[in-house]
Amino acid sequence: MPSAWDGVAFCLVAGTLALVVYGARKMSAPLESVTAASISLSPAALPEYALRTTLRMFAALAASLLFTFTYATAAAKSRRAEVVLIPILDVLQSVPVLGFLSFTVVGFLALFPGSVAGAECAAIFAIFTAQAWNMAFSFYQSLRTIPEDLDEATRSFRLSAWQRFWRLEVPFAMPALIWNMMMSMSGSWFFIVASEAISVGNTTITLPGIGAYVALAIEQRNLGAVGYAIVAMLVVIIAYDQLLFRPLVAWAQKFRFEQTVGQAAPGVWLLRVLNRARLVQFALVPVQMGIEKVAHAPMSLRSWRPGRSGAGPLWLGRLWNFVWWGGWGAVALFGAHALYTELHGHIDVTEVLIAFKLGSMTLARVIVLVALASLVWVPIGVWIGLRPALAMRMQLIAQILAAFPANLFFPVAVVAILQFGLNPNIWLSPLMVLGTQWYILFNVIAGASAFPNDLRDVASNLRVRGWQWWYRVMLPGVFPYFVTGGLTASGGSWNASIVAELVVWGSTRLEANGLGSYIAKATLAGDYPRIILGVMVMSAFVTVFNRLVWRPLHAYAERRLRMI
């Protein structure tokens, strides 16, 4: 018989579906309806704006998960693919959201002429670019550090590649991936203004949402409206934390790698409701059976390797290598020719040198901020991650802090800098840390949460304490996760420089010298050659820095610090 819990579960499910359907219908409105004049600063408009923004963020999150499971898996499984895909991911991570918008918004609008669906796709894609990269890096790192005994167990049971993926690799990576999903959602708030208030040259589109609301409030210097936007954002974060991420974190506790009895997962009210709702349990049975059949199907996806017995003749493998590298070489040559055609006659050597000089200024800020964030948040992340109950309480606070867009701090920054006569080149830099520190914190929490209890017990029995405990036990345990967080933090800082180095509050404009302000000014002016140059220089800085610093650290963590 149905119980009261079924009524609660039905209201939650039905209400969620109704909101999704309502928001989806709004995405097919005429394009003429999405202008700056259509945005109202009335608090009564915020519930609908919050719904529209949330749907865009979750659509981007779904696309990011699909990208993660395919792209990161290909990079981790194939050495040939890794050589190409990881550098591409470095470049994609370094391209700012404004850079993606500059070149994609026109294409999306052409796909849906006269409809707001094209602008919605452009906004979702922009949010996707703020979410996907750190999730992909996290999943890639997890696949490369799977303990050897678990890997040998799956081979002993003769699991197919498909079964191994769903029964070992995804569960092992799930705790870190969920924390990075939370970081992705919070990080996308950082660029929600640019995603919903799209202004590229003569193209101006304002989609109803919290981001567009904040953009209008900043333009009109309306502090009251900024406060309403903060409240709406807090309500949305609390809602999806309670309904999605808190249950996911509790559920992921069963995937921790340890050989002793683990700690009990903290209770979550939503899981209790769903477990006690009889109709929900009955309805989920066929869904669970379907998922089990798909995930555990004996599909053979073994990678083909030339030169092995039964794998085909060696000449065929060499032909495949020629086709693979020749194809990528052709793509590189085509891209180089397209860039030369676009930049020739518009950009000279002096402009290139200026861009590299500004890039070195932004690089200095990024290095300092990542170092400071590491010193502050690694100990805090370890302290939180080792206490599951505390981690459950702190995850909401961390998401709220990570979600605050830098735009909301513009009034404070502008007033303080003007009031005390401060140097914008120095004091606008703290705005960049908003896009830096949280990647480190979330990944370190994930690493500490996944640290096996049996290793902690061994350290305790051997009386390993103080600095030796950090140096011998905990820092090696969380180091692979820190590398992922540091790598994505660097990319987050470069992206944050677009917002932080050029601050506008009403008619007041403050600028710090750097590549971020260079790209921001070029985007506002619709100067595509300088946008391309700025993005190229930023990609070059990020790629070289990753190759010289983060890649060697990642290789060291994979070689020396994996669980065996």
Side-chain angles (χ1 to χ4, degrees):
M1 292 293 293
S3 63
W5 299 108
D6 288 289
V8 176
F10 175 80
C11 291
L12 289 173
V13 174
T16 302
L17 291 177
L19 291 175
V20 171
V21 171
Y22 175 81
R25 288 176 57 189
K26 291 289 186 178
M27 292 184 178
S28 59
L31 185 61
E32 293 78 10
S33 62
V34 288
T35 62
S38 65
I39 303 299
S40 170
L41 291 184
S42 170
L46 274 173
E48 180 178 342
Y49 293 169
L51 172 63
R52 300 283 295 273
T53 295
T54 304
L55 290 179
R56 294 182 192 114
M57 294 172 70
F58 275 103
L61 187 66
S64 299
L65 273 176
L66 179 61
F67 174 84
T68 296
F69 285 148
T70 53
Y71 193 98
T73 302
K77 296 283 188 179
S78 170
R79 176 59 183 169
R80 182 190 290 114
E82 180 188 28
V83 172
V84 176
L85 297 182
I86 293 302
I88 291 177
L89 196 59
D90 287 335
V91 173
L92 291 174
Q93 179 195 211
S94 65
V95 176
V97 172
L98 289 179
F100 284 110
L101 278 174
S102 302
F103 300 103
T104 59
V105 62
V106 176
F108 280 116
L109 291 177
L111 289 177
F112 302 92
S115 174
V116 75
E120 292 283 358
C121 289
I124 291 172
F125 181 77
I127 298 171
F128 163 84
T129 63
Q131 293 181 349
W133 319 136
N134 66 299
M135 292 170 58
F137 275 122
S138 171
F139 196 69
Y140 168 79
Q141 175 262 328
S142 296
L143 294 186
R144 296 301 297 265
T145 56
I146 291 178
E148 292 181 358
D149 52 350
L150 295 182
D151 183 70
E152 292 175 0
T154 60
R155 300 186 188 280
S156 299
F157 285 109
R158 298 185 177 183
L159 299 183
S160 68
W162 181 259
Q163 292 173 324
R164 186 174 183 272
F165 180 73
W166 290 110
R167 302 183 77 168
L168 170 62
E169 293 166 351
V170 172
F172 179 79
M174 192 56 64
L177 182 59
I178 289 175
W179 278 96
N180 275 279
M181 287 169 60
M182 286 191 285
M183 182 62 238
S184 291
M185 286 292 288
S186 296
S188 56
W189 283 103
F190 199 87
F191 296 101
I192 203 67
V193 173
S195 302
E196 294 181 347
I198 304 171
S199 180
V200 180
N202 296 325
T203 303
T204 301
I205 300 173
T206 307
L207 295 172
I210 294 180
Y213 186 95
V214 170
L216 184 60
I218 291 174
E219 180 182 344
Q220 298 184 4
R221 305 182 70 166
N222 191 328
L223 287 175
V226 171
Y228 291 135
I230 292 174
V231 172
M233 187 177 67
L234 292 178
V235 171
V236 170
I237 294 172
I238 292 172
Y240 67 62
D241 174 74
Q242 293 291 318
L243 297 177
L244 178 65
F245 288 125
R246 191 169 294 268
L248 284 178
V249 170
W251 169 73
Q253 288 293 317
K254 66 179 183 179
F255 298 128
R256 291 182 54 172
F257 173 66
E258 51 194 356
Q259 298 175 347
T260 59
V261 178
Q263 303 179 29
V268 177
W269 69 269
L270 182 62
L271 293 181
R272 289 197 296 268
V273 170
L274 296 179
N275 288 332
R276 296 174 183 177
R278 299 172 184 173
L279 292 180
V280 171
Q281 293 296 317
F282 179 76
L284 287 178
V285 170
V287 177
Q288 293 173 339
M289 292 178 61
I291 294 175
E292 287 289 322
K293 288 182 179 180
V294 172
H296 300 161
M299 297 175 61
S300 179
L301 298 177
R302 294 185 179 90
S303 58
W304 176 74
R305 297 181 182 179
R308 288 192 170 187
S309 177
L314 186 61
W315 67 266
L316 191 59
R318 291 175 176 173
L319 177 62
W320 170 244
N321 282 332
F322 176 78
V323 172
W324 172 264
W325 294 114
W328 282 111
V331 171
L333 289 175
F334 176 79
H337 179 266
L339 288 174
Y340 176 80
T341 303
E342 186 69 29
L343 298 181
H344 181 64
H346 300 280
I347 301 296
D348 55 17
V349 176
T350 303
E351 190 70 23
V352 174
L353 294 177
I354 290 174
F356 272 96
K357 178 182 178 181
L358 295 175
S360 64
M361 295 179 182
T362 302
L363 174 64
R365 295 188 181 102
V366 169
I367 293 174
V368 171
L369 291 172
V370 170
L372 291 176
S374 301
L375 291 174
V376 172
W377 293 111
V378 168
I380 295 176
V382 169
W383 180 68
I384 295 174
L386 292 179
R387 298 162 175 80
L390 177 63
M392 292 292 289
R393 291 194 296 268
M394 293 297 297
Q395 74 179 59
L396 175 60
I397 299 175
Q399 287 182 81
I400 291 173
L401 294 175
F404 264 80
N407 312 70
L408 299 183
F409 291 92
F410 283 1
V412 177
V414 170
V415 171
I417 290 174
L418 294 179
Q419 180 69 28
F420 297 102
L422 304 176
N423 185 350
N425 287 310
I426 298 175
W427 295 100
L428 285 180
S429 298
L431 295 178
M432 289 174 58
V433 81
L434 299 175
T436 300
Q437 56 193 353
W438 312 115
Y439 292 98
I440 296 173
L441 175 64
F442 276 65
N443 277 279
V444 172
I445 290 176
S449 299
F451 193 79
N453 285 327
D454 48 351
L455 295 185
R456 294 176 58 189
D457 293 339
V458 170
S460 177
N461 293 334
L462 295 177
R463 300 181 184 276
V464 180
R465 297 185 176 89
W467 170 246
Q468 191 177 22
W469 179 82
W470 283 96
Y471 180 71
R472 296 290 185 183
V473 180
M474 188 49 58
L475 289 182
V478 301
F479 187 77
Y481 298 86
F482 165 75
V483 171
T484 301
L487 191 153
T488 51
S490 299
S493 295
W494 283 98
N495 270 284
S497 69
I498 308 294
V499 179
E501 291 182 349
L502 183 62
V503 173
V504 179
W505 174 243
S507 59
T508 304
R509 177 169 167 163
L510 296 177
E511 178 182 344
N513 293 324
L515 193 58
S517 59
Y518 180 89
I519 296 175
K521 290 187 294 184
T523 302
L524 292 174
D527 190 343
Y528 286 96
R530 282 175 173 76
I531 294 174
I532 295 174
L533 176 62
V535 171
M536 287 177 58
V537 172
M538 184 174 286
S539 299
F541 271 102
V542 173
T543 302
V544 171
F545 189 77
N546 287 353
R547 285 291 156 184
L548 294 178
V549 178
W550 296 117
R551 289 297 160 213
L553 292 177
H554 186 277
Y556 175 80
E558 179 183 334
R559 184 177 65 254
R560 300 289 301 274
L561 301 178
R562 66 188 298 178
M563 299 292 180
I564 57 175

